[in-house]
Amino acid sequence: VQLTWDPPLKDGGSPILGYIVERCEEGTDKWIRCNARLVPNLTYKVTGLKPGVSYYYRVCAENAAGISDPADVLGPLLADDPPAAPTFDLDSFKDGLEVIVPEPLRIRVPITGYPVPTAKWSVGEKLLENNERVKIDTNAA
């Protein structure tokens, strides 16, 4: 999860030294510090989250006068991998295909992406469907 925030409106007369980012798993009241050192910027990538779990976040500023009260709580936000565009590997087909009749033809095309892409197979504009001559089996790896 990538967080960004605005600086406090008032710094109490002392410049901000950095920020403390905390998280709290939804359904609990235990706040855990996310950063070991003060975050010098107004953005922070939170790591070490459990996939599929929602978290609340809050940020405090620190300066010579001490640590501020936390800013408004943000969340809950779901810890999830960022979307990744689908890709497929056709390297094994660069020299074409050799088909020996009447042996069944099995074509394996590794496809990746997140969330897992849905594959649709077609020839030209015609969508291929399972029948007595064609068996399509699409699996997620």
Side-chain angles (χ1 to χ4, degrees), residues 5-124:
W5 58 89
D6 294 322
L9 298 174
K10 297 179 182 176
D11 62 15
S14 180
I16 302 296
L17 301 172
Y19 298 91
I20 297 167
V21 179
E22 296 177 313
R23 72 174 187 258
C24 177
E25 191 172 319
E26 188 175 30
T28 72
D29 58 0
K30 183 179 179 184
W31 287 94
I32 298 170
R33 185 167 171 163
C34 299
N35 53 309
R37 295 187 185 104
L38 290 176
V39 177
N41 305 314
L42 298 173
T43 184
Y44 182 75
K45 182 176 182 176
V46 181
T47 59
L49 303 174
K50 298 179 212 168
V53 175
S54 293
Y55 294 89
Y56 291 93
Y57 301 91
R58 66 185 184 189
V59 177
C60 301
E62 185 173 335
N63 65 8
I67 299 172
S68 72
D69 289 334
D72 292 339
V73 172
L74 173 65
L77 299 177
L78 182 65
D80 204 1
D81 291 329
T87 62
F88 48 93
D89 181 3
L90 297 177
D91 285 346
S92 59
F93 304 109
K94 65 183 175 208
D95 297 326
L97 289 174
E98 182 178 334
V99 180
I100 301 171
V101 178
E103 295 297 318
L105 173 62
R106 177 169 282 188
I107 301 173
R108 293 181 185 258
V109 180
I111 301 172
T112 62
Y114 185 82
V116 175
T118 302
K120 292 185 181 179
W121 303 100
S122 62
V123 175

